[in-house]
Amino acid sequence: MNSHDHIRLAETHSARNYLPLPVVLARGDGVWVEDVEGKRYLDMLASYSALNQGHRHPKILAAMQEQMGRLCLTSRAFHHDMFGPFCKTVTEACGMEQVLLMNTGAEAVETAIKLARRWGYTKKGVPRDRAEIIVCDGNFHGRTTTIVGFSPEKLYNDGFGPFTPGFKMIPYNDVLALERAVTPDTVAFLVEPIQGEAGIRVPAEGFLKAAREVCTRNNVLLMTDEIQTGLGRTGRLFCYEYDGIKPDVLIVGKALGGGCFPVSGALASKELMSVFTPGNHGSTFGGNPLACAVGKAAVEVIIEEKLPENSYKMGEYLRSEIAKMNSPHVAAIRGKGLFVGVDIRPESGPARGFCEKLMALGVLAKETHGTVIRFAPPLIITKSDLDWALERIAQVLK
Ligand SMILES: *Cc1c(COP(=O)(O)O)cnc(C)c1O
């Protein structure tokens, strides 16, 4: 079957909840993918940062294959021999005492929400069912009904109500608004260090540091969603490191699965995690043997191969080279590390058109929020592969 046949088959038998670029991939290796006709592309989306280690990283594949030969699933009704080792690796890498493992990012966010609420009732003394969590305008935290309920984006929540109460929205990057929104019932502030889906929105320097101070002063948990910004994407292991702070709850996913398997988690101190007791939260697949084997290798690759450092260097280079193009279509270039948003001027048309032209030239990137092209390749990318992409980006932006 050719691309056309595959797309028709998908459109016939699948819900239309996505509008993919018209490319049908059949292979992936490192930063490169190949479609069913054998055409090669450089993957500059990297599955929304779930492929920070690249496609089919040999160490991650080997760990997965070894594990598949032994044990894949136990449920949490029993212990297994990869659980402890992975929990140790991930908590040490993240500088947090404990982790609660889930599968998808949205589940890890839900876990953080549950943690904050239970902490509010059992430790902070918030009256039952009154806990409030502050979130930001422009947020993206996943697709469950609770999470889309506090999304500002009509596209994500229109027609899916009624929604879970207990969330309050403030403008992003506005510490005064945060200060004003806090009440005695506030249990947490949930925030992305850079808003990815909102168009790679980078807050002012020191925003998280100031938010940390407000949270500490008011006994409110700071919960950073680093599902997309974390694990090296922004040029640090975690984006909050730029502000020299630590969150109370750290939410990770995407690249934690090494581009192979869904693995996510919420991390916190032992004291905070103690609000969970046997039976009150869980997941059949959360922390399964295969996930733990893959997750452990995924974290080790990021650290051993110094991917945050490469992301920092290559990201600086990518942004400066795009700036040098002086493109008449570009209104702004934003980002940190290899998390780059190129804002297209409204008069130049939607970003989607630029992504389609890039695709024809062999560069896969995806628009976000209509006007922004997101460039977020695997963090293993070399300068010569980036130069290959830059030649094509220049052709499209000229
Ligand atoms: C992708 C993403 C999520 C949701 O992760 P899923 O695995 O798709 O459920 C949550 N928060 C942020 C910031 C994300 O980028």
Side-chain angles (χ1 to χ4, degrees), residues 18 48 103-107 109 140-143 147 192 194 196-197 225-229 251 253-254 262 264 374:
Y18 277 90
Y48 304 92
N103 314 282
T104 66
E107 289 173 324
V109 172
F140 180 81
H141 296 289
R143 304 289 199 156
I147 293 171
E192 297 155 87
I194 292 176
E197 297 315 299
D225 179 346
E226 294 250 14
I227 292 168
Q228 194 161 163
T229 52
I251 307 164
K254 293 203 167 110
S264 72
R374 167 181 10 211

Side-chain angles (χ1 to χ4, degrees), residues 31 55 120 161-162 167 170 184 191 264 299 327 366 388:
V31 300
H55 290 267
F167 298 92
I170 61 163
V191 63
S264 72
V299 171
S327 166
K366 191 77 168 62
W388 188 92

